[in-house]
Amino acid sequence: MATATLPAMLPSVKSFVAEKRKMLVNGKWIEAVSDRTFEVFNPATGDVLAHVASGDVQDINAAVKAARAAFETGPWSRMTPSDRGKLIWKLADLIEQHLEEFAQLESLDNGKPLTVARVADVPLAIDLFRYMAGWATKIEGNTIPVSVPYAPGAKFFAYTTREPVGVVGQIIPWNFPLLMAAWKLGPALAAGCTVVLKPAEQTPLSALLLGKLICEAGFPDGVVNIVTGFGETAGAALAQHPGIDKIAFTGSTEVGKLIVEAAARDLKKVTLELGGKSPNIVFGDADLNTAIAGAANAIFFNHGQCCCAGSRLYVEQGIFDDVVNGVAEAARSIKVGEGFAPDTQMGPLVSEEQLNRVSGYLDAGFAEGAEAVCGGKRGSGTGYFVEPTVLVKTNAKMKVVQEEIFGPVVTAMPFKSAEDIAPIANDTVYGLAAGIWTSDISKAHRAAAQLRAGTVWINCYNVFDAALPFGGYKQSGWGREMGHDALENYTETKAVCIAI
Ligand code: ADP
């Protein structure tokens, strides 16, 4: 556990968590219709951190109504793309001015190191909004030469426009609370949609601070509504709501399937960013030091609570022991502790439920014959800590190799040659990301082409950028976040054809 003196909470953060937090509907901060609240916990201690309004069907109904009115008749519907872009940019500036508050809230609520939230979560969210602000004025259609073979001699002028898909429901997870809100809101707002956002019940605080800044930036009422609450209540009500044109979800594959079922009733548009079990492949000719550090970062960043975590480490057999020992040494050296401590490199898992889930996977792995080179246990104390763990003696059939653990647990397995590895790496229902470590550029490109994954990192891992699309093959999802691909999720194409 980290022992360094903890920095003080900013007074603004202290008062933010002390006050009962309300929801944002139609530009106003309101209690839940039921008047219920739920508790949010500090995962480093298990203590109650804040009380938040517990939204349900009626709150979702009010939020959807407000978003519909804002989309159809409000000032947002008449705003120029340039003005939309300016508002999004202004929001980014405001987040930047409140960077430390966001970083502290994120660390308190999610457990992640404050030092990481400051340099990763918050700056990435700011950058995403700025990137999407630029797109607001560049969502263009095409002019299309048409031939119409059954109308010889007739002449037509045809073009397409990209129109906002409408009112969007967005459900986000707890692993990067602010950043996931940014990934969802940025492209929706750039495209001209209106939104009902439901943050995860474990980590609703940064989205609520973001809501304050959305109001301060001057977004018209009802453009962004934020309903806090549980998945089975507020989340399910949003996914089923007939007044929503599209639902965007990030979370587990299991819940993703429920979202699809709910959306199927009225054929809402759906995009999903789901789980992963990403292979990270180290070839014998890789630079060992870089690959070892990279493999450790691939799994241990954000405590393994990343959908793209490099959780299956495949190492060419000649260097297997060196790489596994190196990653285990890196794991042992990770300073685990409270997110606020300046020397903490890994905080607690987000919740007791998540701790139990990860511990359950470790038990299952050991029962099936896996061995821990390091870690393998819960941490001590009342927080939701687990030791960074490297498992060996694993095989493709084991639960720990097939299922997403979403914790700091990597399974390491040797492979024989470049020819064998692609089918092994692809042997999962997921296809979110993959890593390749080699000094042979041709081998890297060959392997990248063979991997069924939405992102392939070569001699790096966990490199994210607002301009780089991110999303999954297979059961890792539908559609892409970030980059200009993300705008596809929030626009409809209209073809217009004129006889001339
Ligand atoms: P995890 O299991 O890691 O907590 P989930 O997929 O359950 O991840 O949660 C991601 C988001 O989905 C959260 O905002 C959660 O409240 C929401 N959610 C959970 N269950 C449902 C559901 N049945 N319908 C809609 N949203 C849900």
Side-chain angles (χ1 to χ4, degrees):
M1 295 284 152
T3 48
T5 320
L6 304 185
M9 225 191 277
L10 288 171
S12 55
V13 171
K14 223 179 219 172
S15 62
F16 191 84
V17 296
E19 265 173 46
K20 188 162 86 176
R21 302 300 344 155
K22 297 178 181 174
M23 304 181 287
L24 180 62
V25 175
N26 206 18
K28 313 216 164 28
W29 292 96
I30 55 164
E31 313 269 6
V33 172
S34 68
D35 214 25
R36 289 215 184 97
T37 59
F38 64 94
E39 290 174 332
V40 174
F41 298 92
N42 177 344
T45 59
D47 296 337
V48 173
L49 174 66
H51 292 87
V52 177
S54 186
D56 205 330
V57 179
Q58 286 172 288
D59 308 289
I60 291 290
N61 287 346
V64 172
K65 196 172 160 199
R68 174 62 58 193
F71 181 70
E72 285 179 1
T73 53
W76 185 247
S77 61
R78 295 183 297 277
M79 198 174 276
T80 63
S82 170
D83 285 343
R84 274 204 318 270
K86 276 186 218 154
L87 273 181
I88 301 170
W89 192 280
K90 189 166 173 194
L91 177 61
D93 286 347
L94 287 170
I95 301 170
E96 198 163 48
Q97 285 161 27
H98 292 264
L99 189 148
E100 183 62 16
E101 277 166 81
F102 276 109
Q104 292 202 359
L105 274 182
E106 220 62 331
S107 175
L108 288 166
D109 208 4
N110 165 279
K112 65 180 67 202
L114 180 54
T115 50
V116 173
R118 273 187 198 131
V119 298
D121 297 64
V122 189
L124 280 168
I126 295 165
D127 211 41
L128 189 288
F129 280 117
R130 291 203 174 121
Y131 174 84
M132 289 298 169
W135 268 114
T137 47
K138 297 164 195 72
I139 301 174
E140 298 167 344
N142 295 310
T143 51
I144 301 178
V146 292
S147 305
V148 198
Y150 56 82
K155 289 220 177 317
F156 300 94
F157 174 67
Y159 63 92
T160 56
T161 55
R162 308 297 306 259
E163 298 185 350
V165 74
V167 177
V168 180
Q170 302 185 321
I171 301 176
I172 55 171
W174 44 257
N175 56 346
F176 296 90
L178 174 69
L179 187 57
M180 292 301 102
W183 283 18
K184 290 277 183 280
L185 288 171
L189 295 173
C193 296
T194 60
V195 178
V196 178
L197 176 79
K198 195 207 80 67
E201 54 270 39
Q202 297 86 349
T203 55
L205 299 177
S206 56
L208 294 174
L209 180 58
L210 184 65
K212 274 180 74 171
L213 302 189
I214 285 168
C215 298
E216 197 178 321
F219 283 86
D221 293 350
V223 171
V224 178
N225 305 274
I226 304 175
V227 178
T228 43
F230 291 90
E232 306 74 41
T233 52
L238 187 56
Q240 289 167 20
H241 203 293
I244 295 275
D245 297 299
K246 180 220 154 75
I247 190 97
F249 171 78
T250 297
S252 60
T253 292
E254 191 190 345
V255 174
K257 290 177 185 175
L258 295 177
I259 301 282
V260 171
E261 278 172 30
R265 286 173 214 174
D266 47 11
L267 293 181
K268 287 181 187 58
K269 306 283 183 279
V270 181
T271 44
L272 306 165
E273 201 260 274
L274 306 176
K277 192 72 186 174
S278 300
N280 196 13
I281 303 163
V282 184
F283 287 105
D285 57 13
D287 178 282
L288 270 197
N289 290 337
T290 315
I292 288 168
N297 160 60
I299 183 63
F300 299 130
F301 175 63
N302 212 41
H303 328 162
Q305 301 171 132
C306 295
C307 42
C308 56
S311 52
R312 291 182 295 141
L313 178 61
Y314 293 104
V315 186
E316 202 160 343
Q317 57 191 4
I319 56 163
F320 182 75
D321 289 343
D322 289 343
V323 172
V324 169
N325 291 334
V327 175
E329 201 180 309
R332 280 187 216 103
S333 74
I334 291 173
K335 190 88 178 161
V336 178
E338 199 163 335
F340 257 48
D343 58 350
T344 287
Q345 292 167 317
M346 184 186 285
L349 299 184
V350 73
S351 64
E352 190 166 15
E353 186 188 355
Q354 192 58 18
L355 176 63
N356 290 336
R357 196 174 135 184
V358 173
S359 305
Y361 273 113
L362 288 171
D363 293 344
F366 297 137
E368 287 187 290
E371 286 175 18
V373 185
C374 65
K377 296 193 300 296
R378 289 176 176 221
S380 54
T382 52
Y384 313 135
F385 294 96
V386 70
E387 295 174 348
T389 301
V390 179
L391 297 178
V392 290
K393 305 260 166 70
T394 53
N395 64 60
K397 295 205 172 60
M398 288 181 178
K399 221 170 130 105
V400 285
V401 176
Q402 283 300 328
E403 295 182 20
E404 183 177 44
I405 298 175
F406 225 62
V409 180
V410 64
T411 59
M413 286 159 285
F415 69 91
K416 285 207 189 79
S417 69
E419 284 68 48
D420 309 327
I421 189 58
I424 298 171
N426 288 332
D427 181 21
T428 156
V429 298
Y430 297 112
L432 193 57
I436 295 168
W437 303 84
T438 176
S439 50
D440 179 337
I441 185 84
S442 302
K443 192 191 280 181
H445 281 298
R446 269 197 309 274
Q450 290 171 332
L451 293 170
R452 305 274 299 154
T455 294
V456 178
W457 284 297
I458 298 172
N459 294 330
C460 60
Y461 207 95
N462 282 333
V463 177
F464 292 98
D465 190 271
L468 257 183
F470 181 80
Y473 282 35
K474 301 194 275 182
Q475 292 191 32
S476 287
W478 294 349
R480 294 292 178 269
E481 312 263 4
M482 302 197 287
H484 58 79
D485 290 58
L487 297 160
E488 311 267 327
N489 304 341
Y490 294 99
T491 52
E492 294 274 22
T493 299
K494 179 178 282 176
V496 180
C497 185
I498 310 159
I500 53 173

